[in-house]
Amino acid sequence: MNTSLKWIKDMVPGLEAAPQEFADAMTLSGTKAEGYEAFDRDLDKIVVGQIKNIEKHPDADKLVVCQVDIGEADPVQIVTGAPNVKEGQKVPVVLDGGRVAGGHDGSKTEGGIKIKKGKLRGVVSNGMMCSIEELGSTKDMYPEAPEEGIYIFDAGVPVGADAVKQLGLDDVSVEYEITSNRVDCFSVIGIAREAAATFGLPFQPPVIKQTGNDEDVNDYIKVRVDDTKLCPRYTARVVKNIRIAPSPEWMQRRLAAQGIRPINNIVDITNYVMEEYGQPMHAYDLDTIAGNQIIVRRAENDEKFVTLDGQEHVLDDSVLMICDAEKPVGIAGIMGGENSMITDHVKTMLFEAACFDGTNIRHSAKKIGMRTDASGKFEKGLDPNNAIDAMNRACQLVEEFGAGEVVGGVVDVYTIRKEGRRILFEPDKYNRLLGTDITPETMLGYFEKIELGYDKESNEVIIPSWRQDLECGADLAEEVARFYGYDKIGTTLPSGEATTGKLSFKLRIEAVARDVAEYCGFSQGMVYSFESPKVFDKLLIPEDSELRKAVVIANPLGEDFSIMRTISLNGMLTSLATNYNRRNKDVRLYELGNIYLPKEFPLTEELPDERMQFTLGMYGEGDFFTMKGVIEEFLQQTGMHKKPEYNPNAEKPFLHPGRQAEIRYDQHVIGYFGEVHPVVAANYSIKDRVYVAVIDLPLIVQMASFDRKYTGIAKFPAVTRDLSMVCPKEILAGDIEKIIASKGGSYLESYRLFDIYEGNQIKLGYKSLAYSITFRASDRTLDDEAVNGPIGHIVKALEEKGVELRK
């Protein structure tokens, strides 16, 4: 987005900032200025002169000697070869020591070309008369300039005046980087509003006056919008008795400063209003509109249409069209048609200012290969409330220029009115976010400068419809920050769990998982979350299992990546298989990755439950109990000091039926582990025993704790008792340990299984277990009597369970 600095200053009275100061201040207040270009940067000592006398050069047929009045006592003598010089003309004159931008061919020189007093064929020349190209512009921007020769001023221009200023070249074009959410700043009014707020000056937008005669526009044109979603607003006015002529010089200069070539008063008005309001407009010859009716509809498939540039386009039903009762007359938001274009013979004109769906305009422009200034603005998503102001401004200019007679009234099809929004005013929250101490009154002052209202009764900030970027409290905090000054906000650390140097609780749990796994010899692996439906068969998962209810990807890379995984084992086993087939021995891998469990099936709009899984896998050295030790180490390190329980009836089809267990902690199933079923291992081409474990980290996060309480080193000795027992095989060691823990009393410190035996010396169907049980008191040395009591309780409870002490 580029704007003329003079145009901005016209709307912000009192703005005297130099270009660099202006660019810096606007950048700091949030409207980033990429740079600027001063049109007169290579021009110096150029004044308006009037040719008083012309004589032939004595020694050159194509040169003449001119005496030029520059407003001083004596005229200056200038030798020129320009073919269009005449006595009485007023022309731009660069004096001795001045600079011009380039030559007659439009070539430019960095820093300009310095003009010095000299002689041409023996005759003294004290300067040079300039063409428009030598002043750094082109005939496109100054259509009144001659094809060849020097530029001629109007007769009313004062002699001796600054020629650069008279030509409007004393201006600066500022380039901004505007983000797509600031649609209001894609206009001169939007930039001027920001400039006024930045410099604390009043903002004076154009005053729109009522226009139109006593007639009714509805007698001239009818409008029907068939697709109100793609065209939420369509406004139209009619101008009759059109008089095509050049637009005023001031408008031509402003358009030229914006890089827009002046054409005629009607075209220039539409371009001017588009730049001023950011609202594209279009004009149709009403006499070419069949049935005096405008219909906004989608194109038909394979419909052909010729645009203003003479190009034919083949359309489809995704493209929105402006049509009359018989034919299309324009592609909505992109370009009008050749069949309704404004010519020099137009008598009655239809003005259009509408709002179209931005996404549709962008898709249509890309589809037909035509991107215009208008489509570039529409695709940002314009404010429909801006359309009527732009329309009335254009009609006002028509009347001011005498370009036609505006018919009274306006056709306005506006089905769903867009309103502004309200956001609760929370100054304390904004200060916490910014690390500032700004008073509520100061904040409201900032809001007032950018035309945000405030409802004191409801304590709400009223957001106008053209500020589409303000949606929540954080956006208002940003408004406060940019006008308070980012450079004034001190450096503070963010608050909360994510303060610098500290991870969130969830990430700390994951870090412990990594540390424990790597300490135990596991290397981290990463696999895709996308899988093939064939995975379920490889893992022997039943047809009716909930695990088969997976999220199907709409645009998969292929069949092997078509669903989101509901179980993490396939990736682990695939990685282990790769290592096994490459003859790597004693491989241990772990992964921290999500599974995706739909909350409902078939899927609804609700997102699936993404659960982080801590997956371990190994083969080679190590067994079932090795994996169990890794699990218990992880639970200990996360502050889960209770002893976990293991249920051998995990019923996981992909695990060995006699070598698997469900992991329970505090009545919650937090995971499972065991040896992989031999058939599953074979499905992955692994000919070795494979052990895996999967722990559900969201449950761990709920139960873990990093709180640590210091207890000193024991001052009194421990008392140890060993219990050797025989019990049926179906009694689990965990069942026995529950009895020891519950009956051991307050002095019980620890217990440890140190021997397990099955063999000939034990009767069939039984096993022998031996535990070392430790007791300790913190305030005294325990005697036998203090220990024998708890031991007796333990033995009695074991006997009731069917456990016998070995004699």
Side-chain angles (χ1 to χ4, degrees), residues 753-798:
L753 175 66
F754 66 87
D755 184 59
I756 182 168
Y757 173 76
E758 295 181 31
N760 296 330
Q761 297 182 22
I762 303 296
K763 58 183 177 179
L764 188 63
Y766 281 73
K767 61 185 176 183
S768 172
L769 302 174
Y771 280 89
S772 177
I773 305 173
T774 301
F775 299 89
R776 191 195 303 268
S778 61
D779 56 350
R780 62 190 178 92
T781 300
L782 296 177
D783 53 22
D784 289 344
E785 183 178 351
V787 173
N788 290 338
I791 289 292
H793 296 313
I794 292 172
V795 170
K796 183 178 180 181
L798 290 172

Side-chain angles (χ1 to χ4, degrees), residues 182 205 421 586:
R182 286 304 305 271
R421 60 175 63 88
D586 302 326

